[in-house]
Amino acid sequence: QSVLTQPPSVSAAPGQKVTISCSGSSSNIGNNYVSWYQQLPGTAPKLLIYEDNKRPSGIPDRFSGSRSGTSATLGITGLQTGDEADYYCGTWDSGLSPGGVFGGGTKLTVL
Amino acid sequence: EVQLVESGGGLIQPGGSLRLSCAASGFTVSSDYMTWVRQAPGKGLEWVSVIYSGGSTYYADSVKGRFTISRDNSKNTLYLQMNSLRAEDTAVYYCARSPYCINGVCYFRWYFDYWGQGTLVTVSS
């Protein structure tokens, strides 16, 4: 059971838009920045979004992020078959046992 | 160019010990926050431990008291000493970096901009 809650899977057609939600609490998302990672099969995770809505160099603006209250959202527009991957949200939890936390991951299928 | 290369994984019996290494290049491990993240087969990411640039350490409850994170500044290498290993510790272990100072601006940044390729630890008899 992950501290952050993500839908197990989402799907959409090429060219369409999809959003992935990440729900937490006041001790994590409510008070800390959220980051998002893409993991292609058999590879290490890759940073997509950091500090809620910033994109590292080289990440296309088809990827966007937002945070409100205790939830965060990753948006992907103009879906491509190469976007098929697992997506994870992550943040710091400042609660009784401080540490990093991740969502359970969302499998994106581009139909 | 920033690079992280893990090593030290393998097959180990329950109750055994293993030390993972993460050799860094292109930056100084003591200047940033360094983290271990693991991923059990077919499962999601799980944060394991972090060592701050100042030396403070934190652990996931699942490994507290059994795992120790450390670094060797002279070798620019991060370590994870894993003792009393259990079957549920079986996973690919990744090291990752969180930058502390960017362009002279330093603050707690909790995201991982560089990851290693991972090393597989299998705990089984």
Side-chain angles (χ1 to χ4, degrees):
Chain A
Q1 187 90 5
S2 300
V3 173
L4 306 180
T5 301
Q6 297 181 234
S9 63
V10 296
S11 62
Q16 296 300 302
K17 173 184 176 179
V18 71
T19 60
I20 298 173
S21 60
C22 176
S23 178
S25 68
S26 59
S27 66
N28 43 65
I29 294 179
N31 281 285
N32 294 289
Y33 287 127
V34 174
S35 52
W36 290 90
Y37 305 87
Q38 177 193 62
Q39 187 176 34
L40 298 169
T43 69
K46 173 185 175 182
L47 179 65
L48 277 183
I49 297 289
Y50 67 99
E51 293 181 346
D52 296 341
N53 53 24
K54 299 176 183 175
R55 283 175 288 106
S57 174
I59 301 300
D61 58 7
R62 300 188 298 109
F63 295 91
S64 64
S66 65
R67 177 172 64 113
S68 179
T70 59
S71 294
T73 301
L74 173 70
I76 311 173
T77 59
L79 277 172
Q80 302 173 0
T81 55
D83 296 332
E84 275 208 352
D86 293 322
Y87 292 83
Y88 296 90
C89 57
T91 188
W92 180 258
D93 193 303
S94 312
L96 290 176
S97 187
V101 290
F102 287 104
T106 299
K107 169 67 177 175
L108 168 63
T109 300
V110 181
L111 302 169
Chain B
E1 179 193 6
V2 172
Q3 199 168 14
L4 297 169
V5 179
E6 300 97 336
S7 60
L11 175 63
I12 187 76
Q13 291 190 338
S17 297
L18 209 57
R19 189 179 79 158
L20 305 182
S21 300
C22 171
S25 57
F27 74 104
T28 304
V29 293
S30 60
S31 298
D32 292 314
Y33 295 176
M34 297 298 298
T35 286
W36 287 98
V37 174
R38 69 184 180 184
Q39 186 170 35
K43 302 297 184 182
L45 302 177
E46 180 186 13
W47 175 79
V48 174
S49 180
V50 62
I51 182 167
Y52 286 0
S53 53
S56 297
T57 59
Y58 292 90
Y59 299 91
D61 288 343
S62 58
V63 306
K64 202 171 294 182
R66 300 187 299 123
F67 290 11
T68 302
I69 191 171
S70 64
R71 66 188 182 215
D72 184 330
N73 297 342
S74 67
K75 295 182 178 179
N76 209 31
T77 298
L78 175 74
Y79 300 102
L80 185 68
Q81 176 67 43
M82 304 185 296
N83 298 332
S84 302
L85 282 162
R86 307 166 180 167
E88 54 265 35
D89 296 318
T90 294
V92 173
Y93 285 73
Y94 297 100
C95 62
R97 182 192 86 158
S98 298
Y100 180 55
C101 294
I102 298 177
N103 297 327
V105 178
C106 304
Y107 62 86
F108 177 77
R109 290 182 172 87
W110 190 253
Y111 59 87
F112 311 114
D113 58 354
Y114 289 95
W115 297 67
Q117 84 288 352
T119 187
L120 176 63
V121 173
T122 303
V123 184
S124 175
S125 55

